């Protein structure tokens, strides 16, 4: 039985616990803040609260689900207790930590998995296949995610959550970074970014609505619209090819191929719920523990983190910013 230690017992940590338990793992939680609200589980788990507990247990995997601003500090502190780490997205909260993360992983030969679970969704994989087979015929893309963050955790004061607090790594760019990762996944490396802040009707200390332009190395342009204070919930990906258009609607659950105003067809039969991709992701992680760290995988992971941080830098400086 594999032993999994989860850092943080919020909604995401509990979700991972349920999935890993379903796959027959023994679950441990490590928390430093005991007075915070935690979510109940209907199976046995063990709570630990000292580093000595890590020495006593030989964990197969450590899952880092605490606030983003604590991710790298946690990884650095626990890297001597296992080689396998799964860090929820985004992995870090600034460019300095991106560089430090890469050095640490290489130096200690860690196996690092990131929490971009949409890469494991069957419909995303279908779209990825279409894109890969027509990459030279793509003109541009549009990725949009509008959600309403105050409704994410009913009963909680959303302004006190890490998503709304700057010092904890909040803000829509980091919190809703799946679309940034997907743009990189679909269309390859990015050479420069431009990020603009949009108006918001909520008084938050972090950005809550942005437009991002990614200029990919291969010439494809991705436009990303992220908004987590919108009551008009919507989420889709549009890719414009020379002779047709593909739209994956993640809310209405279809992939549409549009050739002209009068000619279009649905090219998906069995839509997979987004939440099912969490199980696909966690199963993949369990199957790939203790593998040799892939330089290509690490490079891809680090590149996504760089794009996120350069988007923040572009927003701060209000100008086009090169991804180094």
């Amino acid at each position: 039985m594999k032993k999994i230690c989860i850092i943080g017992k919020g909604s995401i940590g509990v979700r991972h616990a349920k999935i890993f338990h379903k796959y027959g793992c023994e679950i441990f939680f490590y928390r430093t803040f005991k007075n915070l609200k935690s979510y109940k589980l209907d199976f046995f788990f063990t709570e630990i609260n000292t580093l000595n507990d890590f020495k006593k247990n030989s964990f197969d995997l450590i899952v880092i689900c605490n606030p983003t601003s604590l991710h790298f500090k946690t990884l650095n502190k626990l890297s001597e207790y296992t080689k396998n780490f799964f860090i929820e997205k985004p992995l870090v909260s600034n460019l300095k930590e991106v560089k430090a993360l890469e050095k640490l992983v290489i130096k200690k030969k860690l196996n690092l998995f990131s929490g971009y679970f949409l890469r494991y969704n069957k419909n995303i994989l279908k779209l990825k296949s279409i894109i890969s087979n027509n990459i030279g015929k793509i003109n541009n893309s549009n990725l949009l995610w509008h959600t309403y963050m105050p409704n994410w955790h009913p009963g909680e004061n959303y302004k006190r959550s890490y998503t709304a607090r700057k010092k904890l790594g909040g803000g829509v760019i980091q919190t809703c970074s799946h679309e940034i990762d997907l743009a990189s996944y679909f269309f390859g490396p990015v050479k420069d970014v431009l990020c603009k802040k949009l108006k918001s009707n909520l008084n938050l200390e972090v950005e809550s609505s942005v437009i991002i332009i990614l200029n990919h190395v291969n010439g494809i342009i991705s436009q990303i619209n992220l908004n987590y204070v919108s009551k008009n919930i919507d989420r889709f990906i549009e890719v414009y090819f020379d002779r047709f258009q593909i739209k994956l609607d993640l809310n209405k659950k279809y992939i549409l191929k549009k050739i002209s105003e009068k000619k279009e067809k649905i090219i998906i039969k069995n839509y997979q719920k987004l939440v099912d991709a969490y199980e696909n992701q966690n199963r993949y992680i369990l199957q790939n523990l203790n593998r040799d760290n892939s330089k290509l995988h690490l490079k891809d992971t680090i590149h996504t983190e760089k794009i996120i941080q350069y988007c923040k830098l572009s927003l701060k400086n209000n100008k086009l910013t090169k991804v180094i």
Side-chain angles (χ1 to χ4, degrees):
M1 178 182 290
K2 290 183 172 62
K3 297 171 70 173
I4 311 292
C5 184
I6 300 174
I7 315 301
K9 201 183 174 190
S11 60
I12 296 298
V14 166
R15 171 177 286 182
H16 288 306
K18 290 178 179 179
I19 295 172
F20 284 125
H21 176 263
K22 178 180 177 180
Y23 290 141
C25 299
E26 184 179 359
I27 304 301
F28 294 74
F29 281 101
Y30 176 74
R31 289 195 298 165
T32 54
F33 300 102
K34 297 300 180 181
N35 59 333
L36 296 180
K37 174 184 177 180
S38 63
Y39 295 78
K40 295 182 179 180
L41 291 167
D42 58 1
F43 57 83
F44 176 79
F45 60 87
T46 302
E47 286 208 13
I48 61 176
N49 50 40
T50 70
L51 290 180
N52 192 48
D53 291 317
F54 284 91
K55 296 176 181 179
K56 293 178 182 178
N57 293 279
S58 180
F59 292 116
D60 296 284
L61 175 69
I62 293 178
V63 184
I64 299 177
C65 296
N66 51 6
T68 304
S69 61
L70 301 177
H71 283 182
F72 179 73
K73 181 180 179 180
T74 304
L75 174 67
N76 193 29
K77 181 169 65 174
L78 301 180
S79 59
E80 63 182 282
Y81 300 112
T82 185
K83 293 294 183 183
N84 299 307
F85 284 90
F86 171 29
I87 307 180
E88 256 305 329
K89 62 84 192 167
L91 274 64
V92 293
S93 59
N94 57 62
L95 278 171
K96 183 178 179 180
E97 287 182 343
V98 173
K99 297 175 182 178
L101 173 73
E102 185 174 21
K103 289 181 179 179
L104 180 66
V105 171
I106 293 173
K107 179 181 178 180
K108 296 203 171 184
K109 298 181 180 180
L110 304 178
N111 297 321
L112 181 67
F113 303 93
S114 60
Y116 289 101
F117 74 100
L118 286 181
R119 290 192 179 210
Y120 301 86
N121 176 266
K122 291 181 180 180
N123 310 116
I124 293 293
L125 293 171
K126 174 68 175 177
L127 180 56
K128 169 67 172 175
S129 177
I130 296 171
I131 290 170
S132 297
N133 291 329
N134 296 275
I135 195 70
K137 303 173 184 177
I138 298 173
N139 297 320
N140 62 288
S141 67
N142 182 30
L143 299 89
L144 179 145
W145 185 11
H146 285 186
T147 182
Y148 193 58
M149 183 263 289
N151 286 346
W152 288 357
H153 304 296
E156 293 184 10
N157 182 349
Y158 68 89
K159 289 189 176 182
R160 298 186 64 184
S161 71
Y162 82 92
T163 58
R165 298 170 64 185
K166 187 175 181 179
K167 70 177 183 178
L168 295 182
V172 74
I173 295 174
Q174 295 199 144
T175 304
C176 297
S177 56
H178 285 292
E179 269 60 17
I180 296 174
D181 177 66
L182 287 177
S184 177
Y185 177 54
F186 289 145
F187 311 116
V190 171
K191 63 180 180 180
D192 51 53
V193 306
L194 179 64
C195 184
K196 294 288 186 178
K197 184 177 180 180
L198 303 179
K199 291 182 179 180
S200 168
N201 58 357
L202 292 183
N203 184 24
L204 300 177
E205 63 182 47
V206 294
E207 83 286 346
S208 56
S209 181
V210 297
I211 292 286
I212 299 169
I213 304 295
L214 302 183
N215 184 10
H216 297 268
V217 172
N218 57 17
I220 296 172
I221 302 294
S222 295
Q223 176 179 289
I224 302 175
N225 187 325
L226 301 177
N227 186 328
Y228 68 12
V229 294
S230 173
K231 293 186 178 181
N232 297 315
I233 307 302
D234 205 0
R235 194 174 193 181
F236 61 78
I237 301 165
E238 295 174 322
V239 185
Y240 297 89
F241 300 83
D242 289 340
R243 296 188 177 184
F244 62 93
Q245 170 191 345
I246 295 288
K247 180 176 182 178
L248 169 55
D249 194 306
L250 296 169
N251 282 357
K252 297 178 181 177
K253 303 176 181 178
Y254 64 74
I255 297 181
L256 176 70
K257 181 176 182 180
K258 188 172 185 179
I259 299 174
S260 66
E261 290 297 325
K262 297 182 179 180
K263 191 173 182 181
E264 60 183 37
K265 66 176 181 178
I266 302 295
I267 56 173
I268 187 172
K269 294 182 179 179
N270 299 312
Y271 186 86
Q272 184 186 43
K273 294 179 181 179
L274 293 186
V275 293
D276 291 340
Y278 279 106
E279 293 196 5
N280 298 344
Q281 170 190 249
N282 290 20
R283 183 169 59 249
Y284 171 86
I285 292 171
L286 290 176
Q287 292 170 347
N288 287 273
L289 295 178
N290 300 311
R291 61 172 170 74
D292 291 334
N293 187 53
S294 167
K295 291 184 179 180
L296 182 61
H297 173 76
L298 179 61
K299 183 178 180 181
D300 185 40
T301 300
I302 293 298
H303 187 67
T304 289
E305 297 303 314
K306 283 184 178 180
I307 298 171
I308 294 168
Q309 298 308 322
Y310 278 110
C311 284
K312 290 168 56 181
L313 187 61
S314 173
L315 181 63
K316 178 182 178 180
N317 296 333
N318 194 30
K319 66 179 183 180
L320 185 71
T321 302
K322 185 177 180 180
V323 178
I324 302 174

